[in-house]
Amino acid sequence: MLRALLRAVIVLVLLIAVAAFFLGWWGKGRVQPAEHAGAPVATSGHVNSEKAREVGATVGAKTAEVANRAGEALGEGALTAKIKSKMALDDLVQARAIDVTTTNHVVTLRGTVGSEAERQRAVQLAKETAGVSSVVDKLAVGR
């Protein structure tokens, strides 16, 4: 009972930490205050609509590119969190001794484990996680 409660607390803390990290990154300094909040806005003269379309297309392309990169970063962080959570909930694997990194859906496991069975179980948990294309095993056996 206590072990299950501890596992639930660990998973909850990991999820809150990941969410706080990404929410802090998303909102940090992105919105700038208006210099003249009450000033009226007016336009005069000719607007070059072709130039406006070109600028709009460029802005749209850059926005899509940034959104894709952000999605990939969130996806990799989610994969890493999933694998660490699986390891934390597993009875055989000592998750705190294993470092998990994810790059382009390739998971790398580093650290020291107590036995060959623990190493194989950690690799198995990583491989069977949805979204993982391959696992690089750099775990050392022996404490």
Side-chain angles (χ1 to χ4, degrees):
M1 175 75 179
L2 184 61
R3 191 172 189 154
L5 180 62
L6 181 60
R7 287 180 183 171
V9 169
I10 289 172
V11 170
L12 185 62
V13 167
L14 283 173
L15 290 174
I16 291 172
V18 169
F21 172 78
F22 285 114
L23 288 174
W25 178 84
W26 184 261
K28 186 192 298 182
R30 301 298 189 277
V31 179
Q32 300 296 325
E35 291 180 22
H36 304 288
V41 176
T43 59
S44 63
H46 175 70
V47 174
N48 184 347
S49 60
E50 187 60 35
K51 179 71 174 170
R53 282 190 195 102
E54 289 175 16
V55 170
T58 303
V59 168
K62 287 182 181 179
T63 303
E65 180 183 331
V66 169
N68 287 337
R69 275 192 265 143
E72 289 172 11
L74 286 172
E76 289 178 357
L79 271 177
T80 300
K82 268 192 222 178
I83 294 168
K84 286 295 279 188
S85 296
K86 281 181 161 184
M87 289 181 186
L89 296 173
D90 193 86
D91 291 333
L92 183 61
V93 178
Q94 295 295 320
R96 62 186 177 274
I98 300 174
D99 180 46
V100 180
T101 56
T102 307
T103 306
N104 295 328
H105 303 282
V106 176
V107 175
T108 304
L109 304 176
R110 289 184 178 88
T112 304
V113 293
S115 67
E116 181 62 27
E118 184 179 357
R119 184 189 69 76
Q120 289 177 359
R121 181 65 179 153
V123 171
Q124 178 188 3
L125 287 172
K127 282 183 178 178
E128 63 189 26
T129 302
V132 174
S133 61
S134 65
V135 176
V136 177
D137 177 15
K138 295 187 176 184
L139 294 171
V141 178
R143 291 195 187 211

